[in-house]
Amino acid sequence: MEKIAPEVYDRIDNDLYNAKGDLWWNPENVLHILKTSVNPWRVGIARDVFRKLGFDPKGKKALEVGSGGGILTEEIYGMGFETTGIEPAEESIRTASEHAKAMGLDIRYEQGTGEHLPYADASFDCVFCCDVLEHVSDLPRVISEIARVLKPGGIFIYDTLNRTFVSKIVAIKIWQEWKRWAFMPPNLHVWEMFIKPEELKVLLAQSGLEWKEHRGSEANVSIPKMLGYLRKRARGEWTFVELGQNFRLVESKDMNVLYAGYAIKKS
């Protein structure tokens, strides 16, 4: 997989993350759904990976690439890591820093991109990159940089969207475009930037990262019920709070839309 063509990358609305106001911790905003409905799935997988590997996060150093407003970063910190988050959007960093300070959490936030991580080689025991890889302009470079800052034997944990017919219907049409159900802003995601698992495996291998496994996801309710929930929100009958209270992702073998995985940096 090559660097994203400029005409494709220009279609994605990454400027959203620089919008004024708290897009992340305010439960009335769409991005808070990531905390209530997606984090339990991705954090659960991370904790299971650590148990499987016999890896104790306490005292280890972790980096989150694309940390946004800190809704996953704070969970990483809660695992026991000495935690750093890096994010290109200044407003998101401000939100994350203010929330961490208010909560008394010693998290370091810095502005920067995954393509140019401002850290020395072998700086971190674990790197997280979740809901981010499908947003970057140069995916091979980001993977290479993540591998560079990982210590030998370090763990890379990620999740991203698969480029399938199903993901075009679900993540683009239903989530963003079809007004009957849409709850995300237009162009929050661009389907051509989604990543097939086999493509990601190749990039991992090229950067000296040994792929270990992928896991899928699905809604905790049936598809008709999920569409009903989205319809209620679109009509104004439900807020994002109510949507988040009733919908969450659970682990599944289905990798047609959102999937997670991990890899180990070769010694």
Side-chain angles (χ1 to χ4, degrees):
M1 196 169 182
E2 303 296 329
K3 183 176 179 180
I4 300 297
E7 60 270 21
V8 174
Y9 186 72
D10 287 347
R11 289 163 45 202
I12 196 165
D13 183 16
N14 284 331
D15 291 338
L16 169 72
Y17 307 109
N18 241 333
K20 298 290 184 182
D22 181 2
L23 301 173
W24 301 92
W25 294 97
N26 182 346
E28 296 294 345
N29 287 332
V30 61
L31 294 182
H32 192 72
I33 288 284
L34 296 174
K35 174 175 172 55
T36 58
S37 301
V38 184
N39 269 8
W41 168 76
R42 57 173 55 129
V43 172
I45 289 175
R47 289 186 181 276
D48 188 57
V49 167
F50 296 152
R51 283 193 296 269
K52 183 190 300 188
L53 297 176
F55 177 85
D56 184 359
K58 292 181 180 177
K60 304 292 198 311
K61 293 184 177 181
L63 171 69
E64 185 188 3
V65 177
S67 50
I71 58 173
L72 177 58
T73 330
E74 293 195 8
E75 302 236 27
I76 295 168
Y77 177 86
M79 295 177 190
F81 283 108
E82 181 182 323
T83 307
T84 299
I86 188 165
E87 162 67 36
E90 185 177 356
E91 281 298 314
S92 287
I93 290 176
R94 182 192 59 76
T95 296
S97 298
E98 289 179 357
H99 193 272
K101 183 178 180 180
M103 299 298 291
L105 307 181
D106 185 19
I107 299 174
R108 175 185 179 188
Y109 286 106
E110 297 183 307
Q111 188 171 12
T113 68
E115 287 88 349
H116 302 282
L117 295 175
Y119 309 110
D121 296 357
S123 293
F124 298 96
D125 301 282
C126 187
V127 175
F128 291 78
C129 190
C130 298
D131 192 26
V132 170
L133 296 174
E134 71 276 9
H135 289 267
V136 303
S137 63
D138 191 342
L139 181 60
R141 172 77 180 185
V142 171
I143 298 295
S144 176
E145 279 287 272
I146 286 170
R148 181 183 64 77
V149 302
L150 264 177
K151 296 177 181 179
I155 306 167
F156 174 37
I157 292 180
Y158 56 88
D159 62 61
T160 192
L161 287 157
N162 197 354
R163 195 173 68 256
T164 64
F165 175 76
V166 174
S167 71
K168 179 176 278 190
I169 296 298
V170 173
I172 302 299
K173 299 301 181 182
I174 294 176
W175 292 359
Q176 296 183 174
E177 295 182 0
W178 289 341
K179 293 182 180 180
R180 181 178 180 84
W181 299 294
F183 65 101
M184 289 184 173
N187 298 317
L188 182 65
H189 293 108
V190 171
W191 182 79
E192 288 83 354
M193 294 176 65
F194 292 178
I195 308 157
K196 290 181 177 292
E198 294 303 320
E199 294 170 340
L200 195 45
K201 287 183 188 179
V202 170
L203 293 178
L204 293 169
Q206 289 174 349
S207 292
L209 295 169
E210 184 178 356
W211 173 79
K212 292 298 183 180
E213 69 173 354
H214 280 143
R215 305 189 194 185
S217 66
E218 63 183 12
N220 63 319
V221 296
S222 67
I223 292 175
K225 186 170 284 190
M226 186 69 234
L227 291 174
Y229 290 172
L230 295 179
R231 184 62 178 148
K232 284 185 176 183
R233 195 223 59 88
R235 285 175 172 166
E237 297 170 12
W238 272 12
T239 64
F240 282 115
V241 174
E242 290 162 307
L243 181 61
Q245 288 171 344
N246 287 278
F247 155 68
R248 69 181 186 280
L249 289 182
V250 295
E251 189 174 330
S252 163
K253 294 181 180 179
D254 186 354
M255 296 199 301
N256 275 299
V257 184
L258 185 65
Y259 65 98
Y262 79 99
I264 306 291
K265 183 174 179 178
K266 296 177 182 179
S267 301

